[in-house]
Amino acid sequence: MRALIRVTGAVQGIGYRPFVAELATKYKLNGEVKNLGGIVEIIVDGDVKDIRIFADKLKTSAPSGSIVIKISLEYQEENEPEGPSDFSGFRIVESSEDTDNSYLPVFPPDIGICTECKSELFNFKDRRYRYPLISCASCGPRFSILKQLPYDRETTSMDVFLMCPECSKEYRIGRRRHAQTISCHYCGPQMKYISFDNNKDSEDPVNRAIEIIRNGGIVGLKGVGGYQLVADPKNYNTVKRLREIKGREQKPFAVMFNSVEDIRKICNLSPMEESYLTSSARPIVLLDKKKNNHIAFAENVCGFSKQIGAFLPATGVHSLLTEKLGAIIATSGNNSGEPMITSDKEFLSEFNGRIDGILYYDRDILRPLDDSVIQIVKSIDGKEIPRFIRRARGYVPLPIFLSAQLEDKVLYQSFGADLKNTFAIGYGDSIIPSQFLGDMESYGILKLQKKELDEFEHIFKISSLNYQKRVVISDMHPGYYSSELARNFVNKIRDASLMQIQHHHAHIGSVMAEYGLKECIGIAFDGTGYGLDMTIWGSEFLVCKGGSFERVAHLKPVRIVGQDEGMKNAAIAAACYMNEYGLEVPGDILKPDDLYLIKAAIQNNINAFSNAGMGRLFDAVSCILRICNYNSYEGECAIKLQNSAEEYCEDHDAYNILKDTVTIEDSLEINVGELLATLLKLRNSADIGLIAYSFHCEIAETVKNICIEIRKKYGLNTVCLSGGVFANRLLLSMCEKLLCNSDFVVYYNSILPSNDGGISTGQIYLADLLQER
């Protein structure tokens, strides 16, 4: 019997065809396998029972890194024109550019170095001993080197490297069978070192870089998704210099460790945290430092943070560096706010003379992929849940698979928001968000988004999809760069229509997309977002039904002076809040002359904007309690406020000394006047950690109370939490506990960031729900 089998999913670039060939041989099946666009197509001849078992094993025994979504099995008559009429044995044949236009192709992300390759890397008897770019069919770069599908050597930036006889032999059999990144010391890309001093370079570029880093230098390293700056975290002066080079004053640096055992010495490590650290994605995982444990890093690496962003080597060259140096700082090789650099020429031009050398290789990186960042939280029932802070290398371009199909033959393209920008493409049963790109106030990020959007259109063969309608979605903010890009895109595409989705509604839409929800109470807490009334929102209680919403509760708006400076300077936010509620502003928060100018600006409506953002309230409270009065990076004041609260309840039986200081007015507008007045009274006498903890309690109690009122009126019992403020794990856990104890069902982001990185997916999901009306 002959059968045609098509496998849909992430089944290219992970050794799936060799796996199919070996499995077919095991079950004595003749035939062939090939990549067809974004799927794998198999034709087999053999016994029906063996074919059935073979088809089942294609999913249940699939290689690590693969994602099998669907397997179709169709028996054929012997004379049907599918491939050759006769088969002898089983073979892997050339890929075809033909594609199934009813779905978006699925392609795997870059894959961290596997156990076998790492073993070979340090085995002096192996021919790839200390080859920094070692890889196989189960690991190595994928998306960062892909030109187009199907995935073959000639469609990647490996196409310029001819295999040596030994690699050619391995390409036909064994673990590197059809491994498109196969290479070695003799035929693949090679590491090189550029020195900025007068010393003669070592014959071993990696050892030369190790020597420079060990002696306090900073080296530029071409990583898998772009350039990084590598330095010794134990050297205070080196870290200080690194901060000056990047223009990064306070934000903690992530640290790459050599092993899990090294991480465990200084961090608490749960089973799920370890599983993510060692996963093929190799993300940065935010881990709690062990209490009272001396950390051998300089104090300016992590600063005040209670956590360390820890990660493990993703490539051979990272493994070689950490083997000799132990822990290293490996941060993105760019100026803060600018795109990650992938070009050798651009990196040399930017950092020549500013660092001590460059360790790079002669293979192109086709798109920047920053490190993904994950935090593990515990739900009310003690279950560990991963939460993305940044979704990029190791996960992109894996799609978000939906529980229900999007509107038939409608192609969706969303442009996200301006901060933490991502865009997304939606079609069929999936949405593919782009990697984290950055903040679009940077011209470099604007150019990067346009380039990557064009690349996604090409790679995922958008023009060949069987769609009849194209819907482009943007934020409602008329001044967003992303909104302007969406408008320009629609003007150039004849078959496209433009739809706008409100910012905080899109936050809730991202949670709804993850869980396939059609209605909920949506709570979106963040710093700013453009509202329907053309003011700044950010503390939203929304009743979401289908693709529509009603705003039913929020913080009482406060006029805050200045836009950019008002977001950074928490003293301005605190003064504006106290002015709104008729409270006296202490001189240690704002000098009288500055306060006079702010009051005059508010009174005369000069650069003063109505703001209901929860993020600004957290800033104001952090300043009032003298915890932090300026955001040198996004969220710094709120993070330090959270840290103070968490540190207190680690050592004490915490309780709420601010209970009932937040009032909910008849319009469900949240009044924090009494809360702020109480904070001002307590700031000089009580334990600041207790006050910070109590503030979190009051916000969580308010969330519960308002949800109960909404349930009475609208009958909704499902609550979705999203927005950047819910990166605060203490607030999240408090809200979840109180809501669940009040018999609500609570959802929050897990596979998408709760910050603006999840906006683009939420935009598509809600736009599709609107299409169903």
Side-chain angles (χ1 to χ4, degrees):
M1 179 62 71
R2 174 167 296 179
L4 172 65
I5 302 172
R6 287 193 171 101
V7 185
T8 303
V11 287
Q12 294 190 23
I14 43 78
Y16 196 83
R17 284 181 297 168
F19 155 73
V20 170
E22 291 178 9
L23 192 64
T25 301
K26 176 181 177 181
Y27 287 98
K28 299 178 181 178
L29 300 174
N30 297 323
E32 65 181 30
V33 58
K34 66 179 178 181
N35 285 336
L36 179 67
I39 69 173
V40 166
E41 183 178 271
I42 307 162
I43 301 173
V44 288
D45 281 345
D47 183 78
V48 172
K49 180 182 177 182
D50 291 333
I51 291 175
R52 196 172 295 142
I53 296 173
F54 168 77
D56 181 61
K57 294 288 186 181
L58 289 174
K59 184 170 186 177
T60 59
S61 302
S64 175
S66 64
I67 299 176
V68 178
I69 302 168
K70 182 176 67 174
I71 294 178
S72 66
L73 172 61
E74 178 184 343
Y75 293 105
Q76 300 180 320
E77 298 296 331
E78 293 289 339
N79 58 0
E80 286 194 31
E82 289 285 351
S85 58
D86 278 318
F87 290 110
S88 178
F90 197 92
R91 60 179 185 158
I92 297 173
V93 300
E94 290 185 6
S95 302
S96 170
E97 292 189 9
D98 295 338
T99 185
D100 184 339
N101 61 10
S102 63
Y103 70 99
L104 285 171
V106 182
F107 186 75
D110 288 18
I111 303 170
I113 185 170
C114 69
T115 303
E116 291 83 357
C117 281
K118 191 165 185 178
S119 177
E120 292 173 351
L121 180 69
F122 293 110
N123 180 2
F124 71 92
K125 295 181 180 180
D126 193 274
R127 74 184 198 88
R128 290 188 179 83
Y129 174 59
R130 302 190 71 80
Y131 176 55
L133 301 172
I134 190 170
S135 68
C136 69
S138 300
C139 69
R142 296 293 188 269
F143 192 52
S144 61
I145 63 170
L146 181 66
K147 295 179 181 178
Q148 65 182 49
L149 291 174
Y151 176 72
D152 287 306
R153 195 176 182 96
E154 58 268 23
T155 60
T156 72
S157 58
M158 285 294 296
D159 60 343
V160 296
F161 298 98
L162 298 176
M163 285 182 274
C164 67
E166 284 295 316
C167 283
S168 294
K169 182 179 178 181
E170 290 177 311
Y171 188 75
R172 295 188 295 271
I173 191 170
R175 203 176 89 251
R176 290 187 170 86
R177 187 177 183 185
H178 280 261
Q180 309 305 342
T181 57
I182 189 171
S183 60
C184 68
H185 289 288
Y186 305 103
C187 68
Q190 304 298 317
M191 300 301 300
K192 301 176 183 179
Y193 186 81
I194 298 175
S195 178
F196 294 147
D197 59 27
N198 295 321
N199 295 325
K200 184 178 179 181
D201 289 346
S202 166
E203 292 183 1
D204 187 330
V206 175
N207 279 339
R208 178 67 175 132
I210 289 170
E211 179 186 352
I212 294 295
I213 296 166
R214 182 179 283 138
N215 291 328
I218 297 172
V219 169
L221 170 66
K222 192 174 185 180
V224 67
Y227 270 94
Q228 298 172 306
L229 296 174
V230 179
D232 181 2
K234 299 181 292 296
N235 190 316
Y236 181 92
N237 290 330
T238 297
V239 178
K240 180 182 178 183
R241 180 180 162 217
L242 180 62
R243 290 194 176 280
E244 291 169 352
I245 290 170
K246 280 186 64 72
R248 180 170 170 167
E249 296 177 13
Q250 298 289 333
K251 189 175 182 179
F253 283 118
V255 179
M256 180 180 287
F257 292 80
N258 185 48
S259 66
V260 170
E261 290 70 28
D262 288 346
I263 295 174
R264 205 185 301 277
K265 291 175 184 176
I266 62 173
C267 296
N268 296 314
L269 194 59
S270 73
M272 180 171 281
E273 287 168 339
E274 182 173 347
S275 71
Y276 270 88
L277 281 167
T278 57
S279 70
S280 63
R282 295 293 199 280
I284 295 170
V285 181
L286 301 182
L287 302 174
D288 287 332
K289 299 174 185 175
K290 284 186 174 177
K291 198 170 182 182
N292 301 323
N293 184 57
H294 175 69
I295 296 176
F297 302 149
E299 62 184 20
N300 54 350
V301 173
C302 299
F304 67 87
S305 178
K306 293 172 75 273
Q307 295 185 305
I308 292 178
F311 60 138
L312 293 172
T315 67
V317 67
H318 287 118
S319 300
L320 293 171
L321 292 175
T322 59
E323 179 215 16
K324 296 291 186 182
L325 295 168
I328 58 174
I329 294 172
T331 187
S332 57
N334 60 315
N335 294 315
S336 290
E338 293 298 316
M340 199 170 186
I341 297 175
T342 58
S343 161
D344 303 334
K345 183 178 179 181
E346 183 183 348
F347 187 81
L348 178 60
S349 173
E350 181 65 37
F351 289 96
N352 189 355
R354 299 171 62 194
I355 58 177
D356 302 293
I358 302 176
L359 182 63
Y360 74 107
Y361 52 83
D362 50 349
R363 181 190 67 216
D364 289 339
I365 299 173
L366 300 184
R367 59 192 49 84
L369 292 165
D370 214 330
D371 295 311
S372 294
V373 182
I374 289 175
Q375 182 176 48
I376 308 298
V377 298
K378 283 190 176 181
S379 65
I380 188 173
D381 58 2
K383 181 182 177 182
E384 288 189 305
I385 297 174
R387 304 199 72 217
F388 277 88
I389 308 298
R390 184 167 68 207
R391 186 177 185 270
R393 181 187 56 76
Y395 297 96
V396 175
L398 291 177
I400 308 302
F401 294 110
L402 304 173
S403 59
Q405 292 270 337
L406 296 169
E407 188 73 10
D408 188 37
K409 296 185 179 180
V410 178
L411 169 67
Y412 296 95
Q413 293 179 268
S414 60
F415 280 72
D418 272 18
L419 295 180
K420 297 178 174 62
N421 180 259
T422 65
F423 61 83
I425 299 170
Y427 187 73
D429 64 350
S430 62
I431 299 173
I432 302 179
S434 75
Q435 72 270 39
F436 163 87
L437 298 174
D439 296 345
M440 299 194 75
E441 63 185 13
S442 160
Y443 179 62
I445 301 297
L446 281 170
K447 290 196 301 182
L448 176 61
Q449 202 223 44
K450 185 179 184 307
K451 171 185 172 293
E452 287 301 293
L453 185 64
D454 290 343
E455 291 287 322
F456 267 61
E457 289 236 2
H458 175 66
I459 288 172
F460 295 106
K461 303 179 184 294
I462 299 302
S463 61
S464 67
L465 292 174
N466 185 28
Y467 68 89
Q468 296 176 352
K469 181 179 180 181
R470 186 193 298 233
V471 177
V472 176
I473 312 112
S474 76
D475 194 276
M476 291 182 62
H477 198 304
Y480 269 7
Y481 295 108
S482 55
S483 300
E484 183 180 357
L485 288 175
R487 290 192 294 269
N488 292 339
F489 184 80
V490 169
N491 290 336
K492 294 177 183 178
I493 306 294
R494 284 181 294 177
D495 65 348
S497 60
L498 181 65
M499 182 182 292
Q500 294 180 320
I501 298 291
Q502 199 276 328
H503 186 91
H504 303 99
H505 191 204
H507 270 305
I508 302 306
S510 70
V511 185
M512 295 170 71
E514 287 194 39
Y515 299 97
L517 304 176
K518 296 294 180 71
E519 61 179 27
C520 68
I521 300 169
I523 304 175
F525 286 175
D526 68 1
T528 62
Y530 191 76
L532 297 181
D533 59 1
M534 296 181 288
T535 67
I536 298 172
W537 292 4
S539 55
E540 311 318 306
F541 290 77
L542 309 177
V543 170
C544 303
K545 292 190 175 183
S548 301
F549 77 94
E550 179 184 352
R551 186 193 194 207
V552 294
H554 54 84
L555 279 173
K556 180 181 179 181
V558 172
R559 296 191 71 77
I560 295 181
V561 175
Q563 295 194 58
D564 293 341
E565 187 61 21
M567 291 174 62
K568 293 179 180 178
N569 192 336
I572 292 177
C576 291
Y577 258 98
M578 286 182 275
N579 179 74
E580 177 69 31
Y581 286 102
L583 302 171
E584 184 176 345
V585 180
D588 65 314
I589 291 179
L590 215 60
K591 295 178 180 178
D593 288 348
D594 294 331
L595 180 60
Y596 173 80
L597 292 174
I598 285 176
K599 287 185 175 181
I602 293 172
Q603 185 175 353
N604 294 288
N605 199 29
I606 300 172
N607 200 27
F609 303 90
S610 177
N611 188 307
M614 185 62 71
R616 298 293 76 79
L617 176 61
F618 270 72
D619 287 348
V621 171
S622 186
C623 178
I624 290 170
L625 297 183
R626 300 190 184 95
I627 293 172
C628 184
N629 63 7
Y630 195 84
N631 289 304
S632 65
Y633 61 89
E634 186 184 11
E636 181 178 1
C637 293
I639 291 170
K640 289 183 176 179
L641 180 67
Q642 173 192 337
N643 288 347
S644 180
E646 288 184 335
E647 287 167 3
Y648 181 86
C649 57
E650 285 172 0
D651 297 325
H652 304 82
D653 293 327
Y655 56 98
N656 184 3
I657 63 172
L658 298 173
K659 193 167 183 61
D660 299 327
T661 57
V662 172
T663 57
I664 303 170
E665 299 178 354
D666 291 340
S667 61
L668 292 187
E669 196 169 69
I670 303 165
N671 186 311
V672 295
E674 185 181 347
L675 169 69
L676 297 176
T678 306
L679 291 177
L680 289 167
K681 292 177 183 177
L682 295 174
R683 69 199 290 255
N684 294 317
S685 57
D687 189 303
I688 294 300
L690 174 58
I691 302 174
Y693 176 82
S694 298
F695 169 71
H696 284 77
C697 288
E698 271 300 273
I699 299 300
E701 283 281 351
T702 302
V703 166
K704 179 201 73 175
N705 293 336
I706 291 178
C707 285
I708 289 173
E709 293 302 312
I710 295 173
R711 180 168 58 187
K712 290 177 183 177
K713 182 175 181 180
Y714 294 92
L716 293 173
N717 203 54
T718 298
V719 180
C720 291
L721 309 173
S722 191
V725 171
F726 280 115
N728 182 325
R729 63 182 179 182
L730 177 61
L731 179 66
L732 180 73
S733 64
M734 285 180 169
C735 289
E736 182 185 25
K737 181 178 180 179
L738 291 174
L739 288 168
C740 288
N741 288 344
S742 299
D743 298 323
F744 287 96
V745 179
V746 181
Y747 296 96
Y748 44 83
N749 294 108
S750 176
I751 59 177
L752 289 166
S754 65
N755 57 44
D756 285 7
I759 288 281
S760 60
T761 299
Q763 287 173 337
I764 289 179
Y765 188 76
L766 294 174
D768 183 68
L769 290 180
L770 285 168
Q771 296 292 312
E772 297 178 6
R773 295 178 62 183

